[in-house]
Amino acid sequence: MNLTEQRCTACRPGAPRVSAAEIAELHPQIPAWQIIEVEGILRLERQFRLRDFREAIAFTVRVGEEAEAEGHHPALLTEYGTVKVSWWTHAIAGLHHNDFVMAAKTDAIAAQMGTV
Amino acid sequence: MNLTEQRCTACRPGAPRVSAAEIAELHPQIPAWQIIEVEGILRLERQFRLRDFREAIAFTVRVGEEAEAEGHHPALLTEYGTVKVSWWTHAIAGLHHNDFVMAAKTDAIAAQMGTV
């Protein structure tokens, strides 16, 4: 089952972070995302380009709706013509399988909306 | 006339940045905002606390509507329970009177919405 079709699972402190082997398997499914480290915590990050500010807000709202539906919440940096989306799991201070699921769902929203 | 009642004026490259004297006059009208420097460019920045993710998105949308109405656009970092708003003027790579007007309007939206 590809990532886009998966749902987030409940995630509590103590849940396992993704292993290096899992990252090697999952990252190719969301190749446009960078794995970056911010204050010692790994995140998935991708910047999307939109036509203008209004479209950027619309994209933020759509990703926000998906986040609410899955109970897993990103950081969204919305500016004129761009939205930078970051996924990580606060409860485990790192990357969980859920973050890869949400990144794939974010890509699907971008494809639907026709980001530039 | 206080800042909240003012409108943004057209701003082009070459328009004047606010002077130190103007900053000294305007900043006390938006005391919760910090003046920070990012990559050599001054910005106004304030973090707002909201109840949850849904409220953070709602606040982002409201500030976005005001930005569209005035034709002046911020950076909005939306996370669970917080929105960090940054105003500066790309065309002059610094702070314009407009940024103080928009910061005051952002405070007014926060007061209306009852941020925590």
Side-chain angles (χ1 to χ4, degrees):
Chain A
M1 189 161 64
N2 71 38
L3 284 171
T4 316
E5 293 158 352
Q6 295 177 36
R7 305 292 307 268
C8 280
T9 55
C11 182
R12 293 187 181 77
R17 295 182 189 158
V18 287
S19 66
E22 286 169 309
I23 290 176
E25 183 203 333
L26 295 170
H27 198 192
Q29 295 187 54
I30 52 161
W33 293 73
Q34 291 190 288
I35 299 175
I36 63 159
E37 190 178 316
V38 178
E39 294 166 8
I41 296 172
L42 292 184
R43 305 179 173 195
L44 299 176
E45 184 175 284
R46 181 177 175 188
Q47 177 153 295
F48 295 87
R49 301 190 73 78
L50 293 303
R51 216 178 322 273
D52 53 21
F53 187 76
R54 190 181 298 270
E55 295 256 313
I57 290 279
F59 182 68
T60 291
V61 167
R62 274 293 294 117
V63 175
E65 287 166 354
E66 195 72 26
E68 282 288 295
E70 295 290 338
H72 191 47
H73 302 95
L76 298 156
L77 178 60
T78 312
E79 298 188 68
Y80 192 101
T82 66
V83 180
K84 190 169 75 178
V85 183
S86 306
W87 292 103
W88 75 99
T89 300
H90 291 75
I92 60 172
L95 289 175
H96 185 272
H97 187 87
N98 288 343
D99 297 303
F100 290 82
V101 172
M102 295 310 295
K105 289 180 187 294
T106 308
D107 283 347
I109 292 167
Q112 278 168 15
M113 283 189 53
T115 55
V116 292
Chain B
M1 187 160 66
N2 71 39
L3 283 170
T4 317
E5 293 159 350
Q6 294 177 37
R7 303 292 306 269
C8 280
T9 56
C11 182
R12 292 187 183 78
R17 295 182 190 158
V18 287
S19 65
E22 286 169 308
I23 290 176
E25 184 204 331
L26 295 171
H27 198 193
Q29 296 187 54
I30 52 160
W33 292 73
Q34 291 190 287
I35 300 175
I36 62 159
E37 192 177 317
V38 178
E39 294 167 10
I41 297 173
L42 292 183
R43 305 179 172 195
L44 299 176
E45 184 174 284
R46 180 176 177 189
Q47 178 152 295
F48 295 87
R49 300 189 75 78
L50 291 304
R51 216 177 323 272
D52 53 22
F53 187 76
R54 191 183 296 270
E55 294 256 313
I57 290 281
F59 182 68
T60 292
V61 168
R62 273 292 294 118
V63 175
E65 287 167 352
E66 194 72 25
E68 282 288 294
E70 296 290 337
H72 190 47
H73 302 94
L76 297 156
L77 178 59
T78 311
E79 299 187 68
Y80 192 101
T82 65
V83 180
K84 189 169 76 179
V85 183
S86 306
W87 291 103
W88 75 98
T89 300
H90 291 74
I92 60 172
L95 289 175
H96 186 273
H97 187 87
N98 288 343
D99 296 303
F100 289 83
V101 171
M102 295 309 296
K105 289 182 188 294
T106 307
D107 283 346
I109 291 167
Q112 278 168 15
M113 283 189 52
T115 55
V116 293

